[in-house]
Amino acid sequence: MSGNQTSSVSGPGLKRVLGLWALVLYGIILIQPTAPMPLFGAAANLANGHVVVTVLIGMVAMLFTAISYGRMANAYPNAGSAYTYVTREIHPSLGYFVGWGMIFDYVMNPIICVIWISKAAMNIIPEVPFAVYAVAFTILFTAMNLRGIESSARTNAIIAAGLGVVIVLFLGSAIRYLLLNPPAAGAWTKPFYDPQTFSFSAVSAGASLAVLTYIGFDGISTLSEEVHNPRRNILLATVLVCLITGVLASIQVFTAQMVWPGTKFPDQDTAFVYVAGRAGGQWLFHTINFALIIATIGSGSGAHLGASRLLYGMGRDNAIPHKFFASINPRTHVPSKNIILVGAVTLGGAFLLTYPLGAQLLNFGALIAFMGVNVSSFVRNFLRNKHKTFVNFIVPVLGFTVCLYLWLSLGYKAKIAGLCWLSAGVLYGAYRTSWFRRPLQFAKIESDDEKNNQD
C-alpha cells in the first residue's frame, strides 16, 4: 500500500500548531519556575552556601545534554527517552541498563515530593505529625492517577503564572529587605565565592543535587509531532528552556542567599520559606509555603504517573515482566497496577529517606540517563556520520564528561544505594537472558530515516 493510500484510510493526526516560544513556555511550565526553592536548603548545606555556583554548574551540564537530547529527538520523534536512544543507537542491553536506572529516577521523584509537601504542611498545622501527612499525600497522588486525572495544559499554565507572581513577590520583598538592611560591600560576591567556606568537593556535591532544578526539560521532545519545524525548534527550545531556567534559578537563589547568608535554617527542607519570611514577613512565609505545596502536588502527581508510565513502557517492551507491568485497567485506561505499586514504594520511601538523599538518588538515575543520551548522540552524529565535525564531537563529549563528574560527586549513600539497584538490574537481566546467552527482547522503534526509506 502506498503512502498516499495509507494516509487516506488512517484517522486524523496531530496538528503542527506550536511555535518555538510556545514550546519554550511549555518546557518552563514542565520544570516549574520555582524549581530551585524546595532544594535551596539542602544545596546550601552541601555546598557551604555556594548555591548560585551549583545551579550554574548544573546549567552547563544540562545545556550540552539538551543539545544531545534535541538531536536525538529529531531521529526518534515519537519516542523521546534515553532508554530508546541507547537501545537503538548502541545496544539493547545497555538500553535496558539505562532504563533500569531511569526507574530509580522516576520512582524517587514522587517520594521527595511527598517528603517536601509533608514538611511544608507542618509549617501550617504543626500539630499533625509527618506520618499522617505522608500517608495522606501518597493516597492523594495514587487516587488522582487511578482515576485517570491528568493536568491539562491550561491548568499547568495557570499554575506557572501563579508561581511567576510568587517569584515576583519574593524578589520585590527581598530587594526591599536588602535596601533597608544593606549587606556589607564584600557580601555581594560571597554567594559565588567565599574563600572561608569554598571547596571544590562541597560545590561539586551541591551541584550534583542542584541538577534537580532542570529535571523535566527532556519532556519537550514528546511534542515533536505538534511543532512547526520540529528538527529546528525541538533542539532550540530544549536549549533555551535550560538557559532561561538557569538564569531564573540563579537570580532566586542569589537573592535568597543575600537575605539569609548562612546555611543554618529552622528546617532545611523548607529553608526557602523561612528566607521568604525574613524578607517579607509572615504573609510571604505562608504565601510561598502554600504556593509551593500546590506546585509540588502537581509535580508529585505527575511524577507518580510518569513512573507508572515508564514501568508500563518497559513492561510492554518485555524488558520487565509483561503480564504485570504492561496491564491496563479496561475501565480507566491507566496502568493501575503500576500506579498502586509506585504508591506503595512512595509511602515506604517517605519514611525511609530524607529529602536530600532522595533527591540525590533521583539524580543518580537521571544522570545515568543523560550520560546515555550524550553517548547515543556521539555514536549517531559523529561516529556514524559521514561528515565528522568538531561540534558533533565536542558537544556530547562535554555533556557526558560534566554529567559523569556530577554523578561521581553524589554522596556515598546515594552511590551505594544506586549501585545496589543497578546490580539488581544486572542480575535480573542475566536471569531473563539465561546469563546473557540470548538478547533481551524490546519492541522495535523506527527512526525517521527508516520510515522514509519504507515510504
Side-chain angles (χ1 to χ4, degrees):
M1 183 178 288
S2 68
N4 291 336
Q5 289 172 310
T6 301
S7 299
S8 65
V9 297
S10 61
L14 297 171
K15 291 181 64 177
R16 295 195 181 276
V17 296
L18 298 177
L20 173 62
W21 291 107
L23 204 57
V24 170
L25 178 61
Y26 171 80
I28 292 173
I29 291 171
L30 204 61
I31 294 176
Q32 291 192 352
T34 55
M37 291 185 181
L39 59 85
F40 174 76
N45 182 60
L46 283 173
N48 294 335
H50 296 85
V51 188
V52 180
V53 180
T54 68
V55 169
L56 292 174
I57 292 173
M59 184 179 72
V60 171
M62 292 304 100
L63 281 174
F64 289 121
T65 302
I67 295 173
S68 295
Y69 232 112
R71 289 180 170 180
M72 296 308 297
N74 288 337
Y76 303 98
N78 300 321
S81 76
Y83 163 62
T84 298
Y85 304 153
V86 175
T87 295
R88 291 289 300 168
E89 291 297 335
I90 305 174
H91 195 275
S93 295
L94 287 177
Y96 162 80
F97 187 77
V98 168
W100 191 266
M102 288 173 65
I103 294 175
F104 212 48
D105 163 12
Y106 275 63
V107 171
M108 287 297 153
N109 206 330
I111 292 175
I112 65 172
C113 286
V114 166
I115 293 172
W116 197 92
I117 298 172
S118 300
K119 290 291 190 71
M122 291 178 70
N123 289 335
I124 301 173
I125 308 177
E127 292 79 12
V128 177
F130 172 86
V132 174
Y133 283 122
V135 171
F137 285 118
T138 301
I139 292 174
L140 175 65
F141 292 172
T142 305
M144 288 172 65
N145 288 315
L146 283 175
R147 288 172 58 85
I149 298 175
E150 297 184 48
S151 300
S152 67
R154 182 174 298 179
T155 302
N156 286 336
I158 292 172
I159 290 175
L163 294 178
V165 171
V166 167
I167 292 172
V168 171
L169 288 174
F170 168 73
L171 292 177
S173 299
I175 290 171
R176 179 178 178 275
Y177 175 87
L178 293 173
L179 289 173
L180 295 175
N181 304 276
W188 292 97
T189 59
K190 286 187 176 180
F192 297 96
Y193 177 70
D194 184 348
Q196 295 183 337
T197 60
F198 184 89
S199 78
F200 284 106
S201 60
V203 169
S204 299
S208 68
L209 177 66
V211 171
L212 188 63
T213 302
Y214 305 89
I215 296 298
F217 76 90
D218 49 306
I220 293 171
S221 64
T222 62
L223 297 182
S224 295
E225 295 180 84
E226 299 167 82
V227 180
H228 294 299
N229 192 6
R231 289 189 179 275
R232 169 186 177 270
N233 287 339
I234 291 291
L235 172 59
L236 196 54
T238 306
V239 173
L240 284 173
V241 165
C242 286
L243 185 62
I244 293 170
T245 298
V247 172
L248 286 174
S250 297
I251 292 171
Q252 291 173 53
V253 298
F254 172 78
T255 309
Q257 286 187 265
M258 294 308 301
V259 171
W260 197 303
T263 60
K264 301 296 183 183
F265 306 98
D267 178 60
Q268 179 180 285
D269 292 347
T270 58
F272 203 99
V273 176
Y274 287 93
V275 176
R278 175 178 288 186
Q282 282 298 301
W283 73 270
L284 191 60
F285 175 96
H286 289 295
T287 299
I288 297 281
N289 195 74
F290 180 75
L292 291 180
I293 286 176
I294 297 301
T296 310
I297 287 175
S299 295
S301 61
H304 191 127
L305 181 64
S308 68
R309 292 289 170 84
L310 174 67
L311 293 172
Y312 168 75
M314 294 187 71
R316 183 184 55 193
D317 290 357
N318 203 31
I320 53 181
H322 180 277
K323 186 175 181 180
F324 182 93
F325 291 102
S327 65
I328 293 289
N329 187 303
R331 183 175 60 85
T332 59
H333 303 285
V334 298
S336 55
K337 291 181 181 178
N338 295 347
I339 291 170
I340 294 171
L341 175 62
V342 172
V345 173
T346 297
L347 184 58
F351 289 108
L352 293 174
L353 302 175
T354 62
Y355 179 89
L357 179 56
Q360 289 196 50
L361 290 172
L362 186 158
N363 288 342
F364 181 95
L367 288 168
I368 286 176
F370 294 153
M371 286 188 281
V373 171
N374 281 301
V375 173
S376 300
S377 179
F378 178 79
V379 170
R380 181 178 182 86
N381 297 302
F382 184 76
L383 292 184
R384 293 177 179 165
N385 197 327
K386 294 179 180 179
H387 307 289
K388 302 185 187 301
T389 65
F390 179 72
V391 171
N392 288 344
F393 170 81
I394 197 63
V395 169
V397 168
L398 287 176
F400 176 86
T401 302
V402 179
C403 287
L404 176 62
Y405 170 73
L406 294 176
W407 188 78
L408 292 173
S409 300
L410 291 166
Y412 76 92
K413 290 182 180 178
K415 284 188 281 194
I416 290 173
L419 290 173
C420 288
W421 173 254
L422 293 180
S423 299
V426 171
L427 290 174
Y428 176 73
Y431 164 75
R432 287 288 305 278
T433 58
S434 299
W435 297 101
F436 302 109
R437 286 195 290 268
R438 54 186 174 82
L440 286 167
Q441 298 298 310
F442 292 88
K444 182 175 177 57
I445 301 171
E446 296 177 345
S447 68
D448 273 0
D449 296 338
E450 292 172 320
K451 290 183 178 180
N452 292 335
N453 290 336
Q454 289 178 355
D455 291 339

